[in-house]
Amino acid sequence: FDDVIGRLIEDIDQPALIELSAKLAPVGKAPINVVARLSGYDDIAISGPALEKSDALTDDTLAEIAGTKSQMHLVAVAGRARISEIVTDALIDRGNSEVARRLAANRGARLSKLGFVKLIKRATGDKALAAAIASRTDMPPELGPFLKLTLA
């Protein structure tokens, strides 16, 4: 099924690809290769649903997208229900302020200690980002004083 659909999407028009992505994104056992291909489209209307909702995407695929695609793609990834540290690190390194704020506010995003450090540094002058970081319960306690400096 994955191979057949994968071949068929070559000739499908944009509205049908958008619909296919939206329908496959929440499916638990969606065809992995098809979802991966849909998530790589430059058109965020096609890739967005898969990036934000599909459990079929691997951390490697998500990190690659975070390193190469547009900020809208990164915003979609930052809104996933669960995000690993390898993906959040890639998002933090390349994402804009909107990506950083969405990621910091996402309780399903696992942040590495280095990720927290980078976000705290970026929070200087960005009260919304600082507040999102401050509301997280998983921030290493030794970083608290540095966050307080950004809030001052």
Side-chain angles (χ1 to χ4, degrees):
F1 180 73
D2 198 5
D3 290 337
V4 172
I5 298 298
R7 283 188 229 128
L8 291 175
I9 64 174
E10 295 293 325
D11 299 321
I12 298 176
D13 62 0
Q14 183 202 29
L17 287 171
I18 292 169
E19 184 178 349
L20 179 63
S21 182
K23 289 188 186 239
L24 287 178
V27 174
K29 296 200 181 236
I32 295 169
N33 293 323
V34 171
V35 173
R37 285 191 52 205
L38 290 169
S39 71
Y41 272 79
D42 289 335
D43 184 342
I44 192 66
I46 296 168
S47 59
L51 291 173
E52 192 163 353
K53 296 178 183 161
S54 180
D55 290 335
L57 297 174
T58 66
D59 286 346
D60 289 339
T61 298
L62 292 168
E64 181 181 335
I65 287 168
T68 60
K69 293 295 183 182
S70 76
Q71 292 299 309
M72 293 299 294
H73 288 77
L74 276 63
V75 167
V77 174
R80 292 176 65 82
R82 288 176 307 283
I83 312 170
S84 72
E85 288 182 6
I86 190 169
V87 177
T88 59
D89 285 346
L91 291 169
I92 291 166
D93 286 343
R94 209 167 147 263
N96 62 18
S97 297
E98 182 181 3
V99 173
R101 285 186 209 111
R102 188 165 196 202
L103 191 61
N106 183 341
R107 297 298 172 251
R110 299 297 102 209
L111 299 173
S112 67
K113 189 171 183 178
L114 180 58
F116 270 109
V117 169
K118 289 178 180 181
L119 282 178
I120 290 169
K121 184 176 179 184
R122 288 180 66 172
T124 303
D126 187 337
K127 298 294 183 191
L129 178 56
I133 298 167
S135 71
R136 292 189 65 99
T137 58
D138 58 342
M139 184 175 71
E142 63 271 17
L143 297 179
F146 297 102
L147 181 60
K148 287 179 184 173
L149 288 174
T150 65
L151 291 169

